[in-house]
Amino acid sequence: YVWPSRRMSDMQNTVVSVVRAEAQSLLLQKFMKSFALTSTEQAVVARGRNANLTARKKGKSKSSGDASAYQDSTAFEALLGYTYISDKHRFNEMIGWIKVELDELDSK
């Protein structure tokens, strides 16, 4: 996202659009359709999705996104974190897939 040169505000908008919970939720949905997860990875996604949202409820209003998107984004982050710790090769495969998806979105 840094090359070719872009205005700083354009780069900021691009980054924010990718790291938003809603964007991560959509990535997780696409990811699960096109990437075969092991039973352990599926369990990590389920556990991450079912994480307690108490901190979210205390700190933010619901107007900035729905709970389902935040649950999905937490699940996606949990999956990536677990895979990074347990299997670097698998993690690199996942990151490669994510990079391709983000590159496609960036070219639109």
Side-chain angles (χ1 to χ4, degrees), residues 85-98:
I85 291 170
S86 64
D87 186 349
K88 294 282 197 296
H89 178 72
R90 178 85 166 152
F91 175 78
N92 288 330
E93 289 177 359
M94 291 178 175
I95 292 298
W97 181 91
I98 293 168

Side-chain angles (χ1 to χ4, degrees), residues 24 28 31 37 40-41 44-45 48 72-92 94-95 98:
Q24 289 184 10
L28 176 65
F31 185 81
L37 298 179
T40 305
E41 291 167 347
V44 168
V45 168
D72 285 349
S73 65
T74 301
F76 197 39
E77 292 168 359
L79 174 63
L80 292 174
Y82 166 79
T83 310
Y84 177 79
I85 291 170
S86 64
D87 186 349
K88 294 282 197 296
H89 178 72
R90 178 85 166 152
F91 175 78
N92 288 330
M94 291 178 175
I95 292 298
I98 293 168

Side-chain angles (χ1 to χ4, degrees), residues 16-46:
V16 168
S17 72
V18 172
V19 299
R20 292 178 52 109
E22 294 82 4
Q24 289 184 10
S25 178
L26 292 173
L27 264 177
L28 176 65
Q29 292 169 16
K30 283 182 169 181
F31 185 81
M32 292 185 71
K33 288 178 184 175
S34 62
F35 210 90
L37 298 179
T38 67
S39 60
T40 305
E41 291 167 347
Q42 290 172 356
V44 168
V45 168

Side-chain angles (χ1 to χ4, degrees), residues 41-69:
E41 291 167 347
Q42 290 172 356
V44 168
V45 168
R47 178 119 188 217
R49 191 170 198 299
N50 292 331
N52 189 347
L53 293 175
T54 304
R56 171 77 187 135
K57 290 176 187 172
K58 287 181 184 175
K60 306 272 181 162
S61 68
K62 288 197 171 219
S63 63
S64 62
D66 65 308
S68 179

